Amino acid sequence: MTNVEISKVLEEIGTMLELKGENPFKVRAYERAARELETQNESVEDLVADGRLEELPGIGKALVEKITELVTTGRLKYYEDLRATIPEGLFEMLHIPGFGPKKVNAVFSKMGISSLEELEGAAKEGRLSSLEGFGKKTEAKVLEGLESMKQRVGLRRLGEVLPVAEEIVAALARCAAVNRVCYAGSLRRMKEVVKDIDILASSDEPETVMDLFVGLPVVSQVVAKGSTKSSVLLNLGIACDLRVVPEESFAAAMQYFTGSKDHNVHLRGLAKDLGYKVNEYGVFRGEERIPCATEEEIYELLGLQYIPPEMREDTGEIHLAAAGTIPRLIEATDLVGMLHCHTRWSDGRNSVEELARAVQERGYQYLAICDHSQSSYIANGLTVERLQQQWKEIDDVNRNFRGFHILKGIESDIRSDGSLDYPEEILEQLDLVVGSVHQSLNMPAEQMTSRLVTALSNPHLHILGHPTMRLLLEREPSAFDMEAVIEAAALYGKILELNANYYRLDLNWLHCKLAKSRGVKMAINTDAHDLEGLDHIRYGIGTARRGWLTKEDVVNCLGLDDLRALVGR
DNA sequence: GCCGTTTTCGGCCCGACTGTTTTCAGTCG
């Protein structure tokens, strides 16, 4: 059993105890233990075998017993008994904004409501507001929350889906009957959320390929199986289609199934004017097939430059391609610096040194450590004193590196009045200041706009972090005047973040385009809290490419000296 | 639940906001 699996069980016990209205400190004990095991470098199984589990902070007698039972038998009676008393619907209710364990517990124990459907019924009939502590506003918020949850059904974040799609493609590619194979659709265009996976393969033996596909371990249910198209449901909870085409149709099919629909409509119109017909089977002049082995050849035939998939949204890319002015979009290898990462000093999982090694191994030249500032109490934000201790550690670690440098940064809270979270004499000693909003996310739009503009006008701020504060499929962006914020960034020469965490992707691709058009520079930041988080940079790159960004638009493509010059430090 | 004792029970992590109250509970970060 992996540490993460064990940790998940403890985490869930914590949630269930919370739903049952147990002592909050007991709940926290389980949550703390879950975090401890998750971030533990050593295998918990080994610790159990060696009898060293109790040495871990936050793990006492009761938890040792439970964890031991779990890793030795693979089961935990306490967990299973608890689980049996809590309907699944209660967990789902926790995802309604403003609905926490107490409210869920109240509707369950006092009204017997145990599913989202029952909750919706009660809210619509106005019965919910009769409950003590519930009013009309709560009732309306529940309905609103349920509605937005319905819209999210069947959608998954890019970062959840892409690795699975790659796994499927890799499995198919190993099959001798497969000629070419690739994922297409919105996933290939790197959309931030997708509703399904489209995979395309070419083969002379489609049945063999289909048999392999429907039998993959990631498949939970076969919806349809034929020789040209099969549809399955994945364990991930979304659909996946595989289309198998003859080799000569592969390029046209890739172009067709990558979309977007608007892009293809525009393209087909253009083709028609030139006397061609483009469809999923190929490019034709009358009945005659024009051989095209690659997408590049198709675009060339139509008098166009190749258009990268991320740009295919019919927002002007076809005109650029016709004029031969498609920009060279940013690529992962253009980035030389990693900005905005967290360490154990606040709520990250790794030490300064571990993080720096990992960043260097990934080919970067510098790293800015930007832990949370003092107001972020929950995230273990740094007091001035602890910040200065961290500087000392960074100085020490820097001595162990050649050709790589760690910058002293901070992710400073932007307080409600737009001010930063440290006195000036501290801010001016930092190499890089990222300012982010973490509290009061729902203030009126005008107030939020002036809060952000005030922050941007602060000479000590360099980068505005995750500007909209959205969490994909979870939390809507904060309301404010984005144009005004971008104008302020332009006016004060400040950098906007493109946060690459796949829950955020904030700014989004349209905002990136807007920022670029105003001459505002961007920083693509992982906001990594662990080593795996460093690899999420690819989602930021995808979003940047959707926003037509080039390496000239992105400050962490600059060498260290140029970056320092840009931020004046 | 854990922890640290002033050894066997009391404290444990804060602050803002919202909606429900009429002085506070629940949620969220």
Side-chain angles (χ1 to χ4, degrees):
Chain A
M1 223 173 182
T2 68
N3 290 11
V4 172
E5 285 167 336
I6 301 164
S7 156
K8 282 234 168 77
V9 172
L10 298 183
E11 186 81 52
E12 213 178 306
I13 291 175
T15 307
M16 292 192 284
L17 293 175
E18 212 175 8
L19 282 171
K20 286 188 158 290
E22 263 278 8
N23 175 359
F25 295 107
K26 185 170 169 178
V27 172
R28 191 180 304 160
Y30 275 95
E31 286 169 350
R32 184 180 169 204
R35 261 202 312 279
E36 182 59 37
L37 297 195
E38 204 189 355
T39 58
Q40 192 38 241
N41 289 328
E42 262 187 281
S43 137
V44 173
E45 288 188 357
D46 290 349
L47 289 170
V48 167
D50 298 348
R52 287 188 292 131
L53 194 56
E54 204 168 350
E55 291 170 15
L56 299 183
I59 311 273
K61 272 203 164 37
L63 275 166
V64 167
E65 231 171 73
K66 291 194 174 76
I67 295 165
T68 304
E69 181 187 334
L70 187 59
V71 301
T72 52
T73 70
R75 301 178 58 176
L76 178 57
K77 186 160 187 310
Y78 178 71
Y79 167 78
E80 287 171 10
D81 289 349
L82 207 49
R83 188 86 229 206
T85 66
I86 299 178
E88 192 61 37
L90 267 50
F91 291 96
E92 293 166 9
M93 285 181 212
L94 286 173
H95 291 117
I96 303 170
F99 233 62
K102 294 277 162 54
K103 287 216 163 71
V104 172
N105 190 13
V107 296
F108 179 54
S109 61
K110 293 190 181 141
M111 301 183 84
I113 291 174
S114 64
S115 72
L116 295 180
E117 291 73 27
E118 288 166 7
L119 185 67
E120 182 172 14
K124 280 191 172 154
E125 291 162 21
R127 286 187 284 130
L128 212 54
S129 53
S130 64
L131 210 55
E132 196 188 330
F134 288 64
K136 282 291 166 200
K137 289 231 172 124
T138 308
E139 204 164 66
K141 269 190 86 176
V142 164
L143 286 173
E144 195 182 311
L146 285 171
E147 204 46 49
S148 65
M149 278 171 81
K150 277 184 201 163
Q151 283 171 17
R152 293 167 191 166
V153 166
L155 291 176
R156 287 286 183 283
R157 299 167 194 95
L158 175 64
E160 298 169 87
V161 177
L162 191 57
V164 177
E166 287 174 330
E167 192 183 327
I168 297 171
V169 166
L172 293 174
R174 283 193 292 272
C175 171
V178 170
N179 204 345
R180 282 193 278 178
V181 56
C182 189
Y183 56 82
S186 53
L187 192 60
R188 185 161 177 245
R189 302 199 314 277
M190 297 293 274
K191 267 191 82 172
E192 58 202 29
V193 294
V194 300
K195 69 177 194 328
D196 56 16
I197 301 177
D198 289 308
I199 295 180
L200 192 68
S202 61
S203 172
D204 298 329
E205 305 169 48
E207 281 84 4
T208 312
V209 182
M210 291 304 186
D211 285 342
L212 172 66
F213 174 63
V214 299
L216 290 173
V218 292
V219 170
S220 68
Q221 192 190 326
V222 180
V223 179
K225 181 168 176 258
S227 64
T228 59
K229 178 183 169 183
S230 294
S231 298
V232 299
L233 278 179
L234 301 177
N235 297 329
L236 187 63
I238 61 170
C240 177
D241 289 350
L242 171 65
R243 287 183 173 80
V244 179
V245 300
E247 175 59 26
E248 65 267 24
S249 293
F250 187 79
M254 273 302 288
Q255 200 289 316
Y256 180 86
F257 287 113
T258 297
S260 66
K261 200 173 171 185
D262 290 342
H263 174 88
N264 286 353
V265 166
H266 194 156
L267 200 72
R268 284 200 294 270
L270 205 69
K272 204 177 163 199
D273 294 343
L274 293 169
Y276 295 111
K277 185 178 73 179
V278 179
N279 60 28
E280 62 206 278
Y281 304 106
V283 183
F284 301 88
R285 184 191 286 280
E287 293 301 302
E288 180 205 358
R289 168 197 292 279
I290 317 277
C292 286
T294 62
E295 284 188 323
E296 281 85 346
E297 291 175 32
I298 296 174
Y299 282 99
E300 195 187 335
L301 196 66
L302 302 177
L304 299 174
Q305 236 182 328
Y306 176 70
I307 302 176
E310 297 92 335
M311 290 181 78
R312 300 182 197 170
E313 299 290 345
D314 196 30
T315 53
E317 74 279 6
I318 291 178
H319 288 298
L320 290 190
T325 52
I326 291 280
R328 181 200 167 279
L329 300 182
I330 186 167
E331 291 170 14
T333 49
D334 292 327
L335 289 179
V336 297
M338 184 68 87
L339 309 173
H340 190 177
C341 293
H342 296 267
T343 71
R344 272 207 282 273
W345 279 93
S346 64
D347 60 349
R349 287 201 198 151
N350 303 96
S351 67
V352 169
E353 171 130 30
E354 285 165 357
L355 189 66
R357 292 268 170 237
V359 170
Q360 188 184 33
E361 274 169 20
R362 283 164 173 75
Y364 297 93
Q365 296 166 14
Y366 56 90
L367 157 71
I369 289 185
C370 297
D371 274 308
H372 287 284
S373 63
Q374 48 195 353
S375 286
S376 283
Y377 200 87
I378 293 295
N380 194 22
L382 272 61
T383 58
V384 170
E385 193 189 1
R386 291 183 62 227
L387 183 62
Q388 287 167 332
Q389 288 167 8
Q390 189 194 44
W391 291 347
K392 193 174 169 307
E393 180 174 326
I394 291 175
D395 285 336
D396 288 344
V397 174
N398 258 332
R399 278 190 272 277
N400 300 331
F401 283 90
R402 287 285 168 274
F404 184 86
H405 190 75
I406 309 167
L407 295 164
K408 294 165 188 154
I410 196 75
E411 182 183 16
S412 168
D413 272 26
I414 294 173
R415 297 185 289 216
S416 294
D417 61 358
S419 64
L420 298 177
D421 205 18
Y422 293 108
E424 279 203 13
E425 62 268 26
I426 295 298
L427 291 171
E428 65 193 14
Q429 293 181 64
L430 285 155
D431 296 320
L432 188 76
V433 176
V434 177
S436 305
V437 167
H438 289 116
Q439 312 124 19
S440 307
L441 310 179
N442 293 320
M443 57 171 50
E446 280 166 33
Q447 216 177 319
M448 183 63 92
T449 305
S450 81
R451 179 184 185 183
L452 294 176
V453 170
T454 302
L456 286 165
S457 73
N458 187 320
H460 296 297
L461 179 134
H462 303 122
I463 301 179
L464 178 62
H466 46 65
T468 78
M469 279 303 289
R470 73 169 176 180
L471 290 179
L472 285 164
L473 305 183
E474 265 179 35
R475 184 173 67 208
E476 295 298 317
S478 290
F480 61 87
D481 182 347
M482 179 60 78
E483 294 241 11
V485 167
I486 290 175
E487 291 298 345
L491 176 66
Y492 298 113
K494 297 302 162 77
I495 301 156
L496 297 179
E497 180 174 82
L498 163 47
N499 192 299
N501 182 308
Y502 64 75
Y503 277 77
R504 298 189 182 274
L505 295 175
D506 180 12
L507 294 179
N508 71 26
W509 66 282
L510 284 166
H511 294 149
C512 287
K513 257 183 118 168
L514 190 61
K516 180 187 168 102
S517 75
R518 300 291 191 278
V520 173
K521 300 287 183 206
M522 309 277 307
I524 305 179
N525 296 341
T526 58
D527 197 359
H529 286 68
D530 54 32
L531 303 187
E532 196 206 332
L534 297 172
D535 299 322
H536 295 175
I537 195 73
R538 60 188 308 203
Y539 309 117
I541 296 283
T543 301
R545 289 170 61 88
R546 285 177 67 77
W548 299 11
L549 300 191
T550 68
K551 68 176 180 182
E552 287 75 24
D553 300 313
V554 176
V555 299
N556 41 332
C557 294
L558 294 172
L560 181 57
D561 292 341
D562 290 337
L563 178 77
R564 279 185 184 280
L566 183 75
V567 300
R569 295 288 163 102

